[in-house]
């Protein structure tokens, strides 16, 4: 007979926030056998706390202001790879996509072992930019890269990676700035806010790979040494296949089969699936731009009833199986506006984990909505995965717009600018109350605009 | 003024792929021959794969001094190879064969390949294969740029879309509103992803010079707009808002209250023991934006 004894335990802890969290985590770990990561993941304080333990050079600056003397003694249950961190929502290991606003939109980042699908905009300008950000983030974090392309040679893509905005001198500058006397004739001397003269300017990024998600400067290309330090495998379709060979009858066409075999080879040989021991664990980032276009030998972009409609979906199925069993993450872009059969696109979306679509305003006529003049395009989130959880984190608004600035790719909520024209009509009071209620409950809700009912 | 059509005609960058799309309402062959004429005048070597018109008809109107640089591969007489020795067939549209044909001309700079028309080739090869072969021709050394005529009403939308996705410039030829001139809508895409559009009304004369009649909507270069003259807000007022030199000097000399002298400021700025430090670390929520948000205000 097995009896269970449940003891309610009440613990009352008085102290500052970081202390409470770490102390509660410590107590629970001793009492139950749940891993520490899952408990900490439920609290919002997990992210900066873990990054504190990971970063080396920052600890010196932090120790004087560290208010608690609590030291975590447990061994960590999750593997610590540079450039990754556990998600605060479901405890999965996530990597950054290279664009911090995109990380926020898809729920913190891209989980290792999943597939991100980006439906390209009409001229493939912004989706290409996202692939470059993804690869640049991999270089900065020290991950391995795999690029496959049918159109341009992968080396050309690698040469166009944006340079990261790094500033390694953030910490020593604090002491320097306060040491020297201020120079009243210097160009930094401020007339009114002179007390802040000697403080260092706010930097956007600290030293690389201790921070999750970096910023990149699109106008500059990445240094060749940094780029060559990254381990990169490339797959260029015309080199791998001879074009005159006939495609035999099979579920997947030749191009996809060769690509899948190549990815499998890289994962196995370099030990991302644990088969061969690696001296230090690392993540493989796979970028597949313009998959499904006619250059891959696939005719789903050309006709409504393609000959091998299942070729691409079989490939994605195999790719996802490879990703789930290894420490890799993949980003695929697809020219969805060319795919004629909507059913294929729906199947492809279901087979990928996270799916977003870009719709750019580039090349549209001038009569475009003046609402859109601040942005470069709209971003639609089609699907967000449920990874080991019942409910996933969805962004609270569905109207997102993006803008590519020189130092940042921002994704913002699309909101109406104030209507300053003279012809705008003033609403009467009951209408105002009604519309205020509708707006506050979010766009897309019951927006019937009914007047208040009189019974 | 920036005329997109003429610009595309003049530019002969390597790796360019221009598609002229026409329909049954309005033929694009005249424009195609206008482009060929302009290229011949620029002393380029041109190879034409002709399937729809014969050699003489294609060369009609071209400048006779330059025509020796034009090499016409005759796919018109026997495109499918029904006779014993056809000059050129549709099945010969393979990169290796075309490259050997082109290398015979021993042109160092690279050859411009003109295809009249691609619709013929698409009838006999699958579109994915055609796209792959065109891409291989562009990458290979013998061909520098490709100019293609495509009848967009002969194919499914997906095929036209896939081909235009590969192109660097697409010119759509449609009959004009007034019925006299033809309208060309151009879309051009640079490697960096910048897209420009233009719409012009043009006509091609007997000697195949393209003249632009009118520009309907120029996307153009917005930086070329002249600086708009902004009226000085301080003019034409009943009161004076401007400062004279004496007044400006006096204003700058004025010492504001609660402003310390330089010595006191530097004394205060020196680090003192026990003073607080501001340690700020931007986290994920701080989107550091160097642009001034007030620039967007339209008030």
């Amino acid at each position: 007979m097995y009896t269970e004894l449940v003891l309610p335990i009440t613990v009352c802890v008085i102290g500052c926030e970081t202390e409470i969290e770490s102390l509660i985590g410590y107590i629970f770990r001793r009492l139950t056998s749940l891993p520490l990561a899952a408990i900490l993941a439920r609290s919002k304080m997990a992210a900066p706390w873990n990054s504190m333990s990971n970063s080396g050079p920052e600890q010196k600056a932090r120790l004087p202001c560290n208010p608690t003397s609590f030291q975590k003694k447990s061994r960590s249950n999750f593997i610590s790879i540079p450039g990754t961190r556990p998600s605060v929502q479901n405890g999965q290991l996530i990597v950054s996509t290279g664009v911090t606003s995109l990380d926020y939109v898809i729920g913190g980042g891209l989980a290792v072992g999943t597939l991100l699908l980006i439906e390209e905009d009409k001229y493939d300008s912004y989706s290409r930019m996202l692939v470059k950000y993804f690869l640049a983030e991999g270089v900065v974090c020290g991950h391995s890269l795999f690029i496959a392309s049918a159109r341009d040679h992968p080396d050309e893509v690698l040469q166009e990676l944006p340079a990261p905005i790094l500033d390694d001198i953030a910490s020593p500058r604090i002491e320097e700035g306060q040491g020297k006397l201020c120079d009243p004739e210097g160009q930094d001397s401020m007339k009114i806010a002179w007390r802040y003269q000697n403080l260092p300017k706010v930097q956007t990024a600290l030293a690389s790979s201790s921070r999750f998600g970096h910023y990149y400067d699109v106008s500059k290309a990445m240094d060749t040494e940094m780029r060559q330090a990254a381990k990169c495998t490339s797959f260029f379709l015309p080199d791998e296949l001879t074009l005159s060979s006939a495609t035999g009858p099979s579920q997947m066409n030749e191009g996809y089969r060769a690509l899948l075999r190549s990815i499998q080879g890289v994962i196995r040989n370099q030990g991302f699936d644990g088969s061969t021991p690696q001296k230090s664990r690392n993540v493989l980032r796979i970028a597949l731009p313009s998959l499904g276009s006619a250059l891959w030998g696939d005719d789903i972009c050309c006709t409504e009833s393609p000959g091998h409609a299942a070729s691409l979906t079989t490939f994605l199925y195999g790719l996802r199986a490879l990703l789930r069993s290894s420490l890799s993450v993949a980003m695929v872009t697809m020219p969805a506006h060319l795919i004629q059969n909507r059913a294929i696109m729906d199947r492809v979306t279901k087979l990928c984990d996270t799916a977003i679509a870009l719709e750019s305003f580039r090349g549209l006529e001038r009569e475009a909505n003046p609402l859109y003049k601040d942005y470069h395009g709209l971003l639609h989130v089609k699907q967000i995965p449920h990874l080991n959880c019942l409910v996933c984190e969805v962004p609270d608004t569905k109207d997102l717009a993006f803008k590519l600035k020189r130092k940042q790719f921002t994704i913002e909520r699309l909101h109406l600018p104030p209507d300053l024209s003279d012809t705008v009509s003033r609403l009467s009071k009951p209408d105002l109350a009604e519309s205020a209620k509708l707006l506050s409950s979010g766009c897309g809700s019951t927006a019937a605009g009914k007047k208040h009912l009189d019974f | 003024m920036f005329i997109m059509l003429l610009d595309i005609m003049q530019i002969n960058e390597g790796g360019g792929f221009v598609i002229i799309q026409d329909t049954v309402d309005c033929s694009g062959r005249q424009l195609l021959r206008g482009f060929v004429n302009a290229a011949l005048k620029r002393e380029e070597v041109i190879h034409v794969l002709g399937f729809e018109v014969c050699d003489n008809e294609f060369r009609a109107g071209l400048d006779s001094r330059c025509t020796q640089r034009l090499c016409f591969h005759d796919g018109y007489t026997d495109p499918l190879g029904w006779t014993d020795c056809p000059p050129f067939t549709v099945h010969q549209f393979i990169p290796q064969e075309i490259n050997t044909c082109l290398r015979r001309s021993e042109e160092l700079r690279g050859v411009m390949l003109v295809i009249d028309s691609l619709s013929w080739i698409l009838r006999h090869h699958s579109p994915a294969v055609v796209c792959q072969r065109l891409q291989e021709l562009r990458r290979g050394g013998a061909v520098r740029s490709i100019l293609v005529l495509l009848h967009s009403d002969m194919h499914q939308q997906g095929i036209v879309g896939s081909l235009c996705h590969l192109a660097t410039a697409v010119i759509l030829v449609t009959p004009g509103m007034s019925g006299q001139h033809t309208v060309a809508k151009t879309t051009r895409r640079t490697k960096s992803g910048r897209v420009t559009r233009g719409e012009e009304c043009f006509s091609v004369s007997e000697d195949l010079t393209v003249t632009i009649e009118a520009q309907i909507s120029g996307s153009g270069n917005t930086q070329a707009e002249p600086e708009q003259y902004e009226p000085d807000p301080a003019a034409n007022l009943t009161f004076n808002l401007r400062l004279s030199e004496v007044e400006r000097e006096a204003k700058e000399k004025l010492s504001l209250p609660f402003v310390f002298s330089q010595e006191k400021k530097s004394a205060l700025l020196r680090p003192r023991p026990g003073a607080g430090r501001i340690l700020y670390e931007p986290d994920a929520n701080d989107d550091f934006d160097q642009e001034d948000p007030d620039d967007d205000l339209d008030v």
Side-chain angles (χ1 to χ4, degrees):
Chain A
M1 279 286 278
Y2 173 74
T3 50
E4 239 181 353
L5 190 62
V6 175
L7 282 174
I9 297 178
T10 313
V11 177
C12 175
V13 178
I14 301 168
C16 77
E17 266 196 336
T18 49
E19 253 184 347
I20 296 179
E21 299 291 348
S22 24
L23 204 48
I24 290 184
Y26 179 74
I27 292 171
F28 268 105
R29 175 121 206 308
R30 297 305 300 253
L31 291 178
T32 65
S33 54
L34 280 173
L36 191 59
I39 304 170
L40 284 179
R42 271 187 236 128
S43 67
K44 293 282 183 227
M45 295 294 287
W49 193 81
N50 279 324
S51 68
M52 254 170 72
S53 62
N54 276 343
S55 62
E58 263 60 46
Q59 259 178 346
K60 290 208 192 74
R62 297 251 199 171
L63 275 172
C65 69
N66 194 6
T68 171
S69 58
F70 176 71
Q71 298 286 335
K72 179 176 132 187
K73 273 193 196 158
S74 64
R75 54 190 153 74
S76 49
N77 278 341
F78 47 85
I79 37 185
S80 68
I81 304 175
T84 67
R85 68 172 171 98
S87 160
V88 292
Q89 278 129 26
N90 48 22
Q92 294 283 325
L93 196 65
I94 58 176
V95 294
S96 168
T97 51
V99 179
T100 38
S101 2
L102 185 61
D103 287 341
Y104 175 70
V105 164
I106 61 179
L110 204 51
V112 170
T114 60
L115 178 58
L116 169 66
L117 170 73
I118 299 179
E119 294 182 20
E120 290 172 9
D121 49 315
K122 192 151 184 251
Y123 298 105
D124 193 17
S125 11
Y126 297 105
S127 36
R128 214 163 166 76
M129 204 62 236
L130 287 180
V131 171
K132 286 188 215 163
Y133 273 120
F134 181 70
L135 292 170
E137 181 73 24
V139 171
V140 169
C141 295
H143 298 158
S144 303
L145 307 176
F146 181 96
I147 314 171
S149 166
R151 188 171 170 170
D152 306 314
H153 200 274
D155 291 344
E156 287 175 24
V157 177
L158 278 178
Q159 267 156 19
E160 292 168 8
L161 294 185
I165 301 176
L166 293 174
D167 198 318
D168 292 38
I169 56 171
S171 342
R173 264 196 75 172
I174 301 172
E175 288 91 43
E176 237 183 64
Q178 294 196 337
K180 67 172 193 241
L181 286 172
C182 79
D183 179 21
E185 309 303 324
Q187 61 197 126
D188 281 353
S189 65
M190 297 186 238
K191 204 163 166 194
I192 298 176
W194 52 270
R195 281 182 208 268
Y196 298 99
Q197 212 161 288
N198 283 341
L199 292 182
K201 278 176 99 135
V202 171
Q203 304 295 337
T204 50
L206 303 175
S208 61
S209 69
S210 61
R211 197 181 139 92
F212 188 76
H214 301 87
Y215 291 96
Y216 297 92
D217 189 346
V218 172
S219 54
K220 295 188 216 144
M222 196 184 261
D223 292 332
T224 19
E225 312 89 58
M226 196 187 275
R227 207 187 333 129
Q228 276 156 5
K231 200 166 154 59
C232 179
T233 324
S234 50
F235 178 97
F236 187 42
L237 186 71
D239 291 342
E240 306 280 331
L241 289 184
T242 50
L243 280 173
S244 50
S245 61
T247 53
S250 67
Q251 275 293 81
M252 253 197 286
N253 80 12
E254 273 211 348
Y256 294 147
R257 236 183 303 140
L259 178 60
L260 199 60
R261 229 178 281 136
S262 174
I263 295 177
Q264 193 178 29
V266 167
I267 289 179
R268 201 168 285 161
N269 296 342
Q270 296 181 15
F272 291 106
D273 58 353
S275 56
T276 53
Q278 279 175 317
K279 33 183 201 308
S280 60
R281 298 286 201 101
N282 206 349
V283 168
L284 175 68
R285 285 186 184 230
I286 302 174
L288 307 174
S290 279
L291 199 67
S293 69
L295 291 173
W296 283 94
D298 202 356
D299 54 353
I300 54 175
C301 286
C302 304
T303 68
E304 250 182 64
S305 45
H308 295 177
S311 192
L312 180 62
T313 40
T314 318
F315 168 77
L316 285 173
Y317 195 66
L319 177 65
R320 207 165 69 148
L322 279 177
L323 292 176
R324 289 282 198 268
S325 58
S326 61
L327 283 175
S328 34
V329 64
M331 175 188 271
V332 170
T333 72
M334 214 171 276
H337 56 99
L338 292 177
I339 292 181
Q340 301 294 305
N341 196 346
R342 289 313 302 170
I344 296 182
M345 205 53 228
D346 291 337
R347 268 179 236 152
V348 164
T349 310
K350 284 275 184 300
L351 278 173
C352 298
D353 296 301
T354 321
I356 64 172
L358 294 175
E359 187 190 321
S360 83
F361 304 142
R362 248 184 200 184
L364 283 185
E365 276 84 26
R366 292 284 152 183
E367 294 88 61
N369 200 330
L371 178 68
Y372 297 150
K373 69 174 168 57
D374 291 328
Y375 301 104
H376 289 148
L378 297 176
L379 186 122
H380 306 283
V381 177
K382 298 268 163 113
Q383 185 176 264
I384 294 199
H386 309 250
L387 295 167
N388 297 351
C389 56
L390 286 174
V391 176
C392 56
E393 174 95 1
V394 285
D396 52 351
T397 167
K398 299 239 180 354
D399 294 329
L400 295 166
F402 67 85
K403 185 169 181 182
L404 176 65
K405 296 193 270 204
R406 192 167 71 97
K407 292 201 173 171
Q408 215 181 18
F409 185 96
T410 40
I411 298 172
E412 288 165 14
R413 180 189 196 143
L414 185 68
H415 53 267
L416 294 168
D419 193 356
L420 297 166
S421 66
D422 295 327
T423 58
V424 68
S425 60
R426 302 278 158 232
L427 297 172
S428 60
K429 266 216 157 156
D431 290 329
L432 264 175
E434 193 67 42
S435 55
K437 226 182 337 147
L438 286 173
L439 278 173
S440 61
S441 52
C443 357
S445 58
T446 58
K450 48 188 190 285
K451 305 259 183 231
H452 57 275
L453 295 171
D454 265 339
F455 286 124
Chain B
M1 259 210 324
F2 181 66
I3 313 270
M4 277 209 67
L5 195 62
L6 294 179
D7 197 57
I8 294 178
M9 225 161 56
Q10 297 307 321
I11 287 212
N12 47 357
E13 67 209 16
F17 180 26
V18 181
I19 295 184
I20 300 179
Q21 270 189 35
D22 66 351
T23 56
V24 73
D25 298 322
C26 180
S27 170
R29 188 161 292 112
Q30 283 292 86
L31 184 63
L32 180 80
R33 296 202 303 138
F35 271 51
V36 167
N37 199 27
L40 282 175
K41 289 203 175 109
R42 277 197 313 265
E43 296 182 24
E44 281 191 36
V45 176
I46 302 185
H47 282 247
V48 181
L49 304 181
F51 295 99
E52 289 191 0
V53 291
C54 64
D55 195 354
N56 296 336
E57 202 180 317
F58 194 87
R59 283 183 202 257
L62 288 176
D63 200 352
S64 48
R65 292 164 298 181
C66 319
T67 42
Q68 72 266 27
R69 285 195 284 269
L70 180 90
C71 178
F72 191 88
H73 299 270
D74 186 10
Y76 174 74
T77 44
D78 188 13
L80 294 175
W82 288 340
T83 59
D84 286 331
C85 44
F88 191 79
T89 62
V90 150
H91 306 292
Q92 275 176 287
F93 184 68
I94 304 171
Q96 291 94 314
E97 292 228 18
I98 293 186
N99 281 328
T100 42
C101 288
L102 296 178
R103 285 216 180 85
R104 268 189 245 141
S105 63
E106 290 157 11
E107 173 63 36
L108 296 163
R109 260 193 328 174
V111 158
M112 180 162 160
L113 182 69
V114 174
I115 302 182
D116 174 20
S117 63
L118 196 64
S119 301
W120 250 97
I121 300 180
L122 282 169
R123 302 288 300 155
H124 298 281
H125 292 284
S126 84
V129 168
V130 172
C131 286
Q132 284 177 323
R133 288 182 184 171
L134 280 171
Q135 190 69 9
E136 176 147 337
L137 277 173
R138 280 172 76 186
R139 272 184 312 112
V143 172
R144 199 157 68 148
S145 54
I146 304 183
L147 175 63
V148 149
L149 182 66
L150 180 69
H151 304 302
S152 52
D153 45 2
M154 269 178 72
H155 308 285
Q156 287 183 10
Q157 207 185 11
I159 300 178
V160 175
S162 303
L163 281 166
C164 294
H165 194 63
L166 288 180
T168 53
V170 177
I171 306 170
L172 178 62
V173 176
T174 47
M177 296 290 222
S178 52
Q180 278 177 331
H181 306 294
T182 31
V183 172
K185 293 189 189 135
T186 32
T187 311
R188 187 152 144 211
R189 183 163 68 138
T190 58
K191 210 154 191 278
S192 60
R194 212 162 56 94
V195 172
T196 39
R197 283 188 166 214
E199 196 171 325
E200 285 105 17
C201 211
F202 73 97
S203 68
V204 185
S205 62
E206 282 295 321
D207 61 344
L208 296 178
T209 40
V210 179
T211 42
I212 304 290
E213 307 290 331
Q215 191 170 17
I216 299 176
S217 66
S219 62
N221 283 330
T222 45
Q223 295 98 3
E225 267 174 20
E227 285 285 327
Q228 298 207 339
Y229 174 65
E230 279 185 8
D232 188 13
N236 298 335
L237 294 168
T238 52
F239 42 88
N240 182 26
L241 276 182
R242 296 203 183 98
L243 290 174
S244 67
E245 276 306 315
V246 173
E247 288 169 348
R248 191 169 296 139
E249 273 172 44
K251 173 185 154 199
E252 272 158 26
K253 270 206 211 110
L254 185 69
S255 68
L256 300 167
F258 305 111
V259 161
F260 300 129
S261 64
Q262 283 301 337
E263 295 80 17
K264 191 160 182 201
K265 265 194 217 175
S266 34
L268 282 171
L269 279 174
R270 231 171 276 137
R272 286 184 307 187
R277 281 201 308 174
I278 303 172
L279 291 166
Y280 175 66
E281 198 194 272
D283 66 348
N285 292 331
D286 285 309
D287 256 353
F288 184 58
D289 193 359
Q290 289 185 332
E291 290 170 15
D292 189 2
D294 290 336
D295 285 337
D296 289 338
L297 283 181
D298 201 16
V299 214

